[in-house]
Amino acid sequence: MLVVQKYGGTSVGTLERIDEVTKRVIQTRRAGNDVVVVVSAMSGVTNRLIEYAEHFAKNAPQSSDMDMLLSAGERVTSALLSISLNANGHDAVSMSGRAAGIITDDVSTKARILRIDTTNIKNALKEGKIVVVAGFQGVNEKGEVTTLGRGGSDLSAVAIAGALKADVCEIYTDVDGVYTTDPRIEPKAKKLEKISYDEMLELASMGAKVLQNRSVELAKKLSVNLVTRSSFNNNSGTLITGEEGMQDMEKVLISGIALDKNQARVTIRGVTDKPGVAAAIFTKLAEKNINVDIIIQNNSKEDGTTSIGFTVPQNEADMAKSIVENEAKSVDIDNDVVKVSVVGVGMKSHSGVASLAFATLANEGINIHMISTSEIKISMIVSSKYGELAVRALHKAYELDA
């Protein structure tokens, strides 16, 4: 088998943790597998590098210099792990994103992978080596270093697994797998043995921190079987796969409840209510790569204006406000909101899912400010103070603790 393993920052956070990762990689190798390992920077390193940059520029720009700086953390980890593997008698080689053949577009600090030239990795594997790749990075067509954004090492691992047609891509973190909700909020949360790409994508985009949503999207596109598990124990993890790999999926109504605290509601009032205005507003937001989520437009008033509300990540709210200010009489930002989402492929074939969610929150006295739905999820914006209560109530209502 060809196994791709990815270890996050906490998994390689200290030299002692790198020792433990070394043992796990060797165990996988001794089982007769070819192994490619993708690593993150040691925990805290990326933040420290950002702080260094902000010493010279308070709001460090998204530039090629930042890409060069931030890519250093993963290169350190990959080199240390390779050194450790070699010291333990196993032939290993470390590779930067460039050496691993990861080609991206030109967007600084948020690049997207275009393709992977697997020549170097395949040659090393043929030589019997364990390949250790620095995650989170690549190079653009001009040969300049790029980085993939937060969680980019997951993306590196999935892309490499897809390019190599690996049998499995194991994502190691500090949690055992995917749970029905955050166990810190609801202690009765259960670990899932399997979950579909679509469900995991919804949970990831709705606030679950186990996997980055871009990596789940790519796994689905490339048909990569993902297993997320803990590097701190030997417990079995959660398999993320296609619906064809899931049996009796329709018997499972809801798979999980997600809570996203990184939400801000932007309300623009006095918008001229005529065709093309909303398109112009959201085109401007898209051009600045602002991630708009839930959108609600109210009925037109007698003066021919309306109001539009939408949600964005909190760190993009001020920029969103500056972009839309000229389009309306007033713009308000509310950072005191969270998004609670109910996710499950069973919604496709079961009625009453939405009504149960709304009734459950109503019984708890929780007012819903905004609602968004799809085939497999219902998302609701509520006041921050009710977020965790909403999660626990919904978890119980859908019997996820059973």
Side-chain angles (χ1 to χ4, degrees), residues 206-220:
M206 297 303 150
K209 305 301 183 184
V210 178
L211 282 173
Q212 186 216 37
N213 58 341
R214 283 171 63 195
S215 64
V216 181
E217 288 176 352
L218 191 59
K220 179 181 178 181

Side-chain angles (χ1 to χ4, degrees), residues 4-7 21 25 35-39 81 130-134:
V4 174
Q5 296 182 335
K6 178 264 176 180
Y7 293 91
V21 169
V25 173
V35 188
V36 177
V37 185
V38 177
V39 291
L81 179 56
I130 298 170
V131 179
V132 186
V133 179

Side-chain angles (χ1 to χ4, degrees), residues 3 10 21 64 77 105 114 180 186 200 315 349:
V3 179
T10 54
V21 169
S64 58
T77 311
D105 61 19
L114 301 178
T180 49
E186 174 50 82
M200 189 66 243
N315 62 347
S349 54

Side-chain angles (χ1 to χ4, degrees), residues 5-24:
Q5 296 182 335
K6 178 264 176 180
Y7 293 91
T10 54
S11 299
V12 293
T14 63
L15 298 180
E16 291 73 23
R17 287 304 311 159
I18 292 176
D19 281 334
E20 294 302 314
V21 169
T22 299
K23 294 174 185 177
R24 193 178 291 269

Side-chain angles (χ1 to χ4, degrees), residues 252-267:
V252 181
L253 178 60
I254 299 300
S255 293
I257 313 294
L259 176 64
D260 186 355
K261 296 180 179 181
N262 182 27
Q263 291 286 305
R265 179 173 59 168
V266 180
T267 304

Side-chain angles (χ1 to χ4, degrees), residues 113-133:
I113 296 174
L114 301 178
R115 66 184 184 277
I116 298 181
D117 180 351
T118 58
T119 302
N120 288 344
I121 296 178
K122 286 181 176 178
N123 286 341
L125 291 173
K126 287 178 183 177
E127 294 170 3
K129 295 180 179 180
I130 298 170
V131 179
V132 186
V133 179

Side-chain angles (χ1 to χ4, degrees), residues 66-136:
M66 286 300 292
D67 284 322
M68 182 71 80
L69 176 67
L70 298 181
S71 66
E74 281 72 15
R75 293 201 302 274
V76 169
T77 311
S78 63
L80 289 174
L81 179 56
S82 180
I83 290 169
S84 177
L85 287 165
N86 280 287
N88 281 273
H90 288 265
D91 199 5
V93 59
S94 61
M95 295 185 182
S96 64
R98 180 196 302 273
I102 299 174
I103 310 301
T104 75
D105 61 19
D106 296 334
V107 180
S108 292
T109 71
K110 293 182 181 180
R112 290 186 174 272
I113 296 174
L114 301 178
R115 66 184 184 277
I116 298 181
D117 180 351
T118 58
T119 302
N120 288 344
I121 296 178
K122 286 181 176 178
N123 286 341
L125 291 173
K126 287 178 183 177
E127 294 170 3
K129 295 180 179 180
I130 298 170
V131 179
V132 186
V133 179
F136 175 66

